[in-house]
Amino acid sequence: MSTPGAALLNRPSVSGGGKGLAMQLLLAVVSGGYAVGAALNWGSEEVAEIMGDFGLSAAGLLAAVSCYSYARAIDSRERPAWLLFAFSSLMGAGGNAVWGWYEVILGEEVPKPSLADFAFLCFAPPAIVGLLVLAKRPVTRAGWVCLGLDSWLIGGSLLTLSWSLALAHAARTAQSGAPGSVPRAALSLAYPLLDIALVSMVLVLHFRRSETNRSAVNTAIAALALTVLSDALFTSPLLSAEYQSGQLLDAGWFAGSLLLAYAPWGARRLHPGPEPAGRPRVDRAHSRPITGSLPALTPYLAAAVCTLGILYNVVDGRKVDRMVVFTGCTVVLALVIRQGIMLLDNIALTQELAQKENHFRSLVQGSSDVIMIAAPTGTLRYVSPAAAGVYGREAEELVGTELASLIHPDDLGRVVHEVRRFLAAPPTEEPTTRIECRFKSGGGEWLNVESTVNRHQGGLILNSRDVTERVRLQAQLQHSAEHDPLTDLPNRALFTRRVRQALTGRRAGDHSTAVLFIDLDGFKAVNDTIGHQAGDELLVEAARRLQDSVRAGDTAARLGGDEFAALILGDGNRDPSAREYQVREIADRLRTTLSQPYRIGASEVRVAASIGAAFADPGITPSDLMRNADLAMYRAKAGGKDRVEMYAPQMQAEVVRKAELAGRLRTALHEGEFALLYQPVVSLATGEVSAVAAQARWRSAQGILFTPAEFLRVAEYSEGGTGGRGGSGAAGHDASRTAELGRWLLEEAVEQAADRHRAGHDVPVAVRMTAQRLLDRSMPLGSVEALLTRHGLPSGALVLELAVSDPRVPFDDLERRLAALHRLGVGIALDGFGSGYAAISALRRLPVDMLKLDRGLVEGVVESARLHKITAGLLRIANDLGMRSVADGVDLPEQVLALRAMGCTHGQGMAFSGPLDEYRLRRALVRGTFPVPGGAAQPALAGGSSGGSMAILRGSHNETPVPPT
């Protein structure tokens, strides 16, 4: 900031400045009025004597009161000085009052000497001591000696000049021996000598005054200087002989007293006080260079004045007085001593400066940082030797070059902007700044350099260090934080940020931008069959294919596990059909590419890709866009996998509905809204009840029982999952709720079966359970056995209807678990036989007792000859293996006849009975049989008997009418 700007910032407030100006005007008017009155002799001699005596006394008294009041108001080291100024002014006021007593009251001439002279003589010593108190005290003994020498240089010079002009005449008068001449001469010499001492202190201390309350001290010094000047004029031979009270000379004393009275109060109002934070401070040493050099010139000025005193006597033809010679010699001696002390100080300072320079040179040259000084023009004036090790360039080579030529062109604009901003900022606010840029090395490569910049004589000092390795490490850490460690594709965080940029940047209005979510179907099977290392290799290859298949500018990412994503930037096309065609084409190409066989070691692996796509519709957020693509991807998996699905709003509505159903289910479980019904499993030959299949029913708020089939389908989809290392959070919550439902169903069925067993009804109970649930880690090993033991149900009275529909189920674990239960006596039934691909493997490896025909086969066994043959073949397999067979969903008499003719041993359905509550079930068990269409008959094919324990899977999940209880 420029000096005028700094001065403008430091100007006093409007109110304070106005009061100070008013006081100055009042002071000038009063002093001017007194001077005019004195020049006009006040109109009469009487008034002139009164104003010349008592007027000056009143002004001195005012100054004494003002200084004393100010001394009491402050609490600092200045207080003694202002008390001494008050005493000095009081002595001056007393001297003028005595003078007025003689001239005005008594009408006599003031005697020589008198009490007034004593008072006037007491004016200077307190003022001198007060100035010493305000002065900046020397800190060394040599400083005190220099202060005394400077005072004598000034005082001796003034004494030489004064002696030559006037004091020699007074001394000769004293030597004449006339009566009363000695006291008068001594008095006439005392005034100027004390004034000379006071002037010497004023001049010396003007350059050594303290910085505290500078304005008040300056004003006090000016007041004392004006008083001393008036005293000097009074003691001159030209005026002292003709002086009378009330003359113009009194105006100087009057103005000096008023100025001293004004000094502590008015000057303090003008003082700007401490500079506010943030405002630049003006360097007073730079703003007043002449004032700063005056102390050094003081000895020479004093010697010049002394020489003038001697020359005056020589030019006037007078004999040089011994006093002048003695004083001149002492002044010269003091000057020699003063210069000797200065010379010793200069030698000591030079040595100290050389030591510090060597010290700092060693620090600079030994520092690993490069220190450079740039001129205001940008030219390097100094470069430390460390440049050779850091930049690979010698310091001498860099000196004289332009700093801008060494900075990378892409960074130059930013660096120039930062330097200009830094130089324009106030130094107190921002003493340094930091700049990072690329700097050209001696080998031609660009190094990352961090520089701390300071101001230096209009230019800059740069303390620079090479941070290339740190920048590289930061870049690596940033890359690792934003990229998948296995495939090096952007991770979820970076992908989400790029989606946000696409939605909020310059492409914010482009609604053809789309997000694809991709899941690899069958990836978990790869991990389970050939190992996780092979799975990682497959993921790396899939990532490479995905990266090569997307367009330039699009983003491919791995979100986790076997889930990938792609951000497809739009081209501004607003036609919905055109943008959907374009994105579907890209998605189909990605699906085809990712579904190609993978060569992993010596094996060839195949996986498919399910892809969901969603568009950046107006107002959509990044999280909503990614959620929509995720929903579409899960819809693609649910629709058969290896396909592309475009997001539609009803998908979100379906998710909301499923979430509501899941919440309702959990509430129903906790509040006991579920009921357990049983459907009898009847022998098709005799009509006897051989088992009961447990089925859960949900009692609505209206009291109606209905099956939770819709939620169970959601649960099956959740348990089926997507495979891989990722998964859906919603699916996990649904699976946890269905697990809770499954545990409730098993425990309730076992408990009620135990009650029936104790009542004499030994009919087994069949409970449906999925293979995933049986192997679920949340269901600890031995839980089924512990449940049977706790409720006292024989193990042979429980049949587990097992549904094996997920190819990812580990058959080894399932085989071990079922073998343990089978050894215990628990019956095992294979549910849905004829619909799942795993049926043959299950028959080959699992300890299955019974086969339960799928409902889809039973429904068309009469109408479709093809289904009739398939069903007959499956029943033949069951009979050949010695297993019982159960037909699910036998609702018509024709179906009973057809199944019995094909060799089916048991059935359940509306042809015999719907689901029954516990009360009606016990009544049915007491009866023991149900009528069989066509009458009782023996099975057409050999097999097991119609009685005994049977594995029963769940019956129809369609809503069925229930008789009122």
Side-chain angles (χ1 to χ4, degrees), residues 8 379 521 783:
L8 180 63
T379 304
D521 303 320
S783 58

Side-chain angles (χ1 to χ4, degrees), residues 389-413:
V390 176
Y391 299 145
R393 306 179 67 174
E394 295 297 331
E396 294 77 7
E397 178 187 350
L398 293 175
V399 173
T401 60
E402 293 288 338
L403 182 61
S405 64
L406 304 175
I407 299 175
H408 195 283
D410 295 341
D411 300 339
L412 183 58

Side-chain angles (χ1 to χ4, degrees), residues 775 809-818 845-846:
L775 298 178
V809 174
F811 261 75
D812 293 339
D813 297 342
L814 183 61
E815 183 180 7
R816 287 193 294 269
R817 181 70 179 123
L818 290 179
R845 300 184 58 181
L846 302 181

